[in-house]
Amino acid sequence: MYQFDYQRPETLDEAVALLKEDCKLLAGGQTLLPTMKQRLAQPEALVDLGAIDSLRGVCPDDDKLAIGAMTTHAEVASKADIPALACLAAGIGDPQVRNRGTIGGSVANNDPAADYPAALLGLNAQVTTNKRVINADDFFVDLFETALEENEIIINVTFPRPQAAAYVKFDNPASRYAIVGVFVAKTGSGVRVAVTGAGPCVFRHKGLETALNNNFSAQAIEGVSVSAAGLNSDIHASADYRANLIKVLTKRAVAQIGG
Amino acid sequence: MPTVSMTVNGKQVTADIAPNTLLVSFLRENLRLTGTHVGCDTSQCGACVIHINGESAKSCTMLALQADGAEVTTIEGLAKGNDLHPMQKAFQENHGLQCGFCTTGMIMSAVDLVKKHGKPDDATIRKGLEGNICRCTGYQNIVKSVKAAAQEMEG
Ligand SMILES: Cc1cc2nc3c(=O)[nH]c(=O)nc-3n(C[C@H](O)[C@H](O)[C@H](O)COP(=O)(O)OP(=O)(O)OC[C@H]3O[C@@H](n4cnc5c(N)ncnc54)[C@H](O)[C@@H]3O)c2cc1C
Ligand code: FES
Ligand code: FES
């Protein structure tokens, strides 16, 4: 790999003070390091968040669950007491990726095929940074693009507890990334359906939400039309195939919840 | 150059290294622990799996500096003198390897797997080894080896 500077601060304040132009935060490194090896990213300096203990851990509350940005996928899989979320984390990549990769890194990266974005959007989560609180609906902007400003640090993600939720993905058998993944949640403000893997960025499907709000059952989904316009076509699946998968996986998620 | 200190297979090591040194390069080139392999260098194959503070990780996808202060175990640290670790012995006895290239990473992942799952069934073993690729064996005897080792490791 090319030469770069490296810092490992022990507090969030130190980390903020170290941020400068052309520098990147390093979390689990499971995306950033491969990207740097390929020179798709070439930061001059890395600020490693790995020694900041306050960014790590799962903190349950009566009506919500806060997860520190540096909490690994493996920790979320074993400690998060929202089963759909724990199950989603347990299905990311492989055990070694889950032992290093973090929720903050995954969310900041906003890979179109990543799993966590669907959970954040489906559960109406909030992302807390060193500057502000951002609602999931405003956080995921476009392909690999989020509302985060240059050098803004995610501190944690807070998930309101749903009445019920399920995540079902049709995964790429090699990487486990989602070809399509659907997160369905019954919340106080209605049903939310978040779709990852299908388009350039995670999105909510209003047609499916309306149908499920009227009648929370797999049959209700039958009549909904899911358009393939704007969906991804690649070696793994065509846009039409993905559109069909959205319906199939939504049905499976609804069935899991018991609709 | 920054200094890194870590415990590798029970021994304290300290060295000045360039920040871009991968953990796997540090282990293989600085410490000459060449049992940890590099199959892909792109986080896919698992040949480079080691344990960091007891958890399996791909050492090609970590900077050596990220392991500062950590306890690292490599394949060289599993055996006790001439006594192979039960997982190593099981791979030997069950023909769990052919060319042996993937084997060191496979064994490191399998040890972590058994530690977490006790006596895993076939499906759990296959799922738990998703991060390790073997191009020789067809996996049958790897699964058999891990199952056999799990009996020994518990009892
Ligand atoms: C073989 C393999 C399989 C995978 N399979 C899947 C899969 O099935 N599903 C899936 O969703 N993902 C998958 N991933 C990706 C994995 O989940 C990564 O861990 C994740 O995308 C990035 O998290 P990280 O902690 O490794 O972040 P890093 O790689 O360290 O960082 C990623 C980006 O986020 C930024 N960042 C990190 N932390 C913060 C923070 N606190 N605040 C602001 N910005 C931050 C970094 O600057 C960088 O730009 C896979 C990866 C590999 C190598
Ligand atoms: S060499 Fe590290 S995963 Fe292949
Ligand atoms: S034994 Fe040859 S790659 Fe596995």
Side-chain angles (χ1 to χ4, degrees):
Chain A
M1 241 195 298
Y2 68 93
Q3 296 289 342
F4 49 81
D5 288 335
Y6 171 95
Q7 305 278 350
R8 191 176 160 89
E10 286 179 6
T11 66
L12 189 62
D13 289 344
E14 277 177 64
V16 172
L18 284 168
L19 294 174
K20 53 174 194 252
E21 222 175 299
D22 214 9
C23 136
K24 261 193 180 295
L25 297 166
L26 176 64
Q30 301 301 294
T31 294
L32 184 55
L33 294 176
T35 316
M36 286 170 66
K37 285 183 187 178
Q38 295 177 62
R39 305 266 178 127
L40 294 170
Q42 299 191 56
E44 279 174 12
L46 293 180
V47 174
D48 183 356
L49 300 175
I52 309 176
D53 292 339
S54 64
L55 291 180
R56 216 172 165 135
V58 172
C59 183
D61 207 337
D62 284 350
D63 56 351
K64 55 187 187 300
L65 175 69
I67 301 180
M70 286 299 290
T71 312
T72 62
H73 308 329
E75 287 171 81
V76 175
S78 65
K79 292 184 193 143
D81 59 356
I82 297 176
L85 187 60
C87 170
L88 173 146
I92 295 176
D94 56 55
Q96 289 70 41
V97 167
R98 295 196 290 275
N99 281 342
R100 299 291 306 168
T102 68
I103 186 169
S106 174
V107 167
N109 195 48
N110 193 19
D111 188 300
D115 295 300
Y116 271 123
L120 269 73
L121 201 56
L123 292 171
N124 197 11
Q126 291 188 317
V127 178
T128 303
T129 75
N130 56 323
K131 296 186 179 164
R132 58 195 165 133
V133 177
I134 311 167
N135 287 327
D137 280 316
D138 305 319
F139 185 84
F140 301 104
V141 177
D142 205 345
L143 184 78
F144 292 111
E145 191 185 333
T146 66
L148 289 175
E149 290 163 12
E150 195 75 18
N151 295 336
E152 189 170 1
I153 305 181
I154 299 176
I155 294 173
N156 69 34
V157 181
T158 306
F159 296 90
R161 289 188 189 281
Q163 291 154 8
Y167 177 66
V168 182
K169 81 168 153 174
F170 188 78
D171 55 14
N172 176 321
S175 72
R176 298 296 166 204
Y177 271 108
I179 290 174
V180 175
V182 178
F183 199 105
V184 176
K186 270 177 147 175
T187 74
S189 54
V191 177
R192 293 172 69 101
V193 178
V195 181
T196 189
C201 179
V202 65
F203 62 90
R204 284 172 65 190
H205 197 285
K206 299 289 157 129
L208 289 167
E209 290 183 359
T210 308
L212 289 171
N213 270 320
N214 289 335
N215 172 12
F216 194 82
S217 74
Q219 297 92 286
I221 293 158
E222 211 59 68
V224 181
S225 93
V226 175
S227 163
L231 298 188
N232 304 333
S233 274
D234 54 28
I235 52 164
H236 306 302
S238 67
D240 284 332
Y241 189 76
R242 281 189 161 90
N244 187 56
L245 271 181
I246 293 175
K247 275 178 90 159
V248 172
L249 300 183
T250 307
K251 278 188 205 163
R252 288 186 191 166
V254 168
Q256 254 189 42
I257 294 173
Chain B
M1 280 201 284
T3 303
V4 71
S5 293
M6 63 182 95
T7 309
V8 179
N9 301 332
K11 273 195 219 113
Q12 185 70 27
V13 295
T14 301
D16 292 334
I17 53 165
N20 65 355
T21 310
L22 295 172
L23 180 58
V24 70
S25 320
F26 181 68
L27 295 170
R28 288 178 54 86
E29 288 157 31
N30 292 53
L31 305 182
R32 310 305 290 170
L33 293 171
T34 52
T36 303
H37 294 164
V38 180
C40 65
D41 197 31
T42 55
S43 325
Q44 321 287 328
C45 77
C48 64
V49 171
I50 48 97
H51 293 179
I52 175 140
N53 297 327
E55 305 275 346
S56 58
K58 293 175 181 170
S59 60
C60 76
T61 313
M62 270 188 79
L63 301 174
L65 286 169
Q66 285 178 284
D68 192 49
E71 291 213 8
V72 175
T73 307
T74 69
I75 188 76
E76 289 89 346
L78 283 190
K80 294 210 167 68
N82 286 331
D83 287 338
L84 291 181
H85 183 281
M87 190 63 74
Q88 292 173 304
K89 220 183 275 167
F91 268 70
Q92 187 182 46
E93 283 164 5
N94 293 282
H95 201 138
L97 62 145
Q98 289 181 22
C99 80
F101 192 86
C102 71
T103 313
T104 54
M106 202 62 91
I107 287 179
M108 296 311 283
S109 292
V111 169
D112 190 20
L113 168 77
V114 172
K115 218 177 56 199
K116 286 188 181 132
H117 293 276
K119 289 199 177 110
D121 59 16
D122 284 23
T124 308
I125 295 172
R126 286 179 187 276
K127 220 172 150 31
L129 294 178
E130 268 180 350
N132 294 78
I133 294 173
C134 174
R135 52 180 192 163
C136 301
T137 62
Y139 302 98
Q140 295 297 68
N141 286 347
I142 291 179
V143 175
K144 208 165 133 194
S145 305
V146 177
K147 245 183 156 162
Q151 300 296 332
E152 296 303 314
M153 282 172 67
E154 273 212 325

